[in-house]
């Protein structure tokens, strides 16, 4: 772990969407080459990180965005309940600026999710099967591989992921 840095975790504000989008593009372009094609990276970024999509998520009462912020956004996550069950949530996005990875930000984001709702019994997420650094992190946190999934997405691409589950 790099030296700990001071940061605060709080909900994302509408006026921070563009900063979050810029960080998303930076993280993806540094993380995913060699894991998925550049064309798939761009396709997924444009479909999942548009201002319209993120604004709709922020305004959705069942979707929660958290950011780790010092002066700039250092990392962020988005999570929501699964189905009608109020005790199972899925982390849809969790990214940390590569410069600040291994400084405790992702751990603090996950702990904040867990502490935000005492009813949470399970946390789920998907991670690309070839994203070995992310897999190692999630496994160290206690997540277990629940199943292997292949999902066809826009552009004819596939998400070749593991579905991970953490029992709280």
């Amino acid at each position: 772990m790099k030296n700990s840095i001071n940061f605060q975790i709080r909900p994302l504000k509408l006026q921070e969407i563009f900063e979050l989008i810029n960080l998303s593009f930076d993280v993806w372009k540094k993380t995913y080459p060699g894991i998925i094609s550049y064309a798939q990276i761009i396709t997924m970024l444009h479909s999942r990180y548009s201002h319209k999509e993120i604004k709709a998520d922020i305004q959705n009462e069942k979707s929660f965005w958290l950011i780790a912020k010092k002066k700039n956004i250092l990392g962020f996550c988005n999570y929501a309940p699964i189905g009608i069950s109020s005790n199972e949530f899925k982390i849809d996005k969790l990214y940390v600026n590569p410069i600040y990875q291994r400084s405790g930000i992702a751990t603090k984001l996950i702990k904040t999710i867990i502490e935000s709702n005492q009813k949470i019994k399970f946390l789920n997420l998907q991670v690309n099967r070839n994203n070995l650094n992310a897999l190692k992190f999630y496994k160290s946190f206690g997540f277990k591989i629940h199943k292997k999934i292949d999902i066809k997405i826009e552009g004819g691409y596939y998400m070749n992921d593991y579905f991970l589950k953490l029992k709280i």
Side-chain angles (χ1 to χ4, degrees), residues 24-166:
S24 302
F25 274 65
D26 189 42
V27 170
W28 275 63
K29 288 179 179 181
K30 289 179 180 161
T31 302
Y32 288 104
I35 295 175
I36 59 176
S37 72
Y38 184 75
Q40 184 174 349
I41 292 169
I42 297 304
T43 298
M44 291 179 74
L45 280 169
H46 286 290
S47 68
R48 288 168 171 72
Y49 291 96
S50 70
H51 189 277
K52 180 181 173 183
E53 288 290 320
I54 295 170
K55 183 177 179 183
D57 268 348
I58 291 171
Q59 293 172 333
N60 176 351
E61 292 178 13
K62 293 182 181 176
S63 180
F64 305 96
W65 282 86
L66 295 174
I67 61 163
K69 188 154 186 167
K70 191 171 180 174
K71 181 180 177 184
N72 299 309
I73 296 175
L74 307 176
F76 64 89
C77 69
N78 171 249
Y79 64 103
I82 294 178
I84 58 172
S85 170
S86 63
N87 68 355
E88 195 160 350
F89 282 70
K90 181 179 180 205
I91 298 173
D92 185 47
K93 298 166 180 69
L94 194 159
Y95 296 101
V96 175
N97 183 324
I99 294 169
Y100 298 102
Q101 289 177 359
R102 295 182 234 342
S103 64
I105 293 170
T107 298
K108 182 67 174 158
L109 283 165
I110 293 172
K111 286 181 178 180
T112 300
I113 292 169
I114 294 167
E115 293 165 2
S116 72
N117 185 337
Q118 298 302 317
K119 294 180 182 179
I120 296 176
K121 301 292 181 224
F122 297 97
L123 264 182
N124 304 285
L125 58 86
Q126 287 173 225
V127 64
N128 184 287
R129 293 193 296 260
N130 294 312
N131 190 342
L132 302 180
N133 289 333
L135 277 169
K136 182 179 177 182
F137 167 74
Y138 292 125
K139 285 181 177 181
S140 75
F141 203 90
F143 282 88
K144 306 249 185 276
I145 295 174
H146 186 66
K147 63 183 172 181
K148 188 178 180 180
I149 54 177
D150 296 300
I151 301 169
K152 189 172 184 176
I153 59 171
E154 60 278 345
Y157 298 108
Y158 281 85
M159 290 179 19
N160 306 112
D161 292 351
Y162 286 125
F163 187 83
L164 304 177
K165 188 170 247 186
L166 174 67

Side-chain angles (χ1 to χ4, degrees), residues 10-25:
R10 63 168 173 73
L12 177 69
K13 297 175 183 170
L14 286 173
Q15 63 267 29
E16 296 171 313
I17 292 175
F18 285 114
E19 186 182 351
L20 182 134
I21 291 168
N22 288 337
L23 177 59
S24 302
F25 274 65

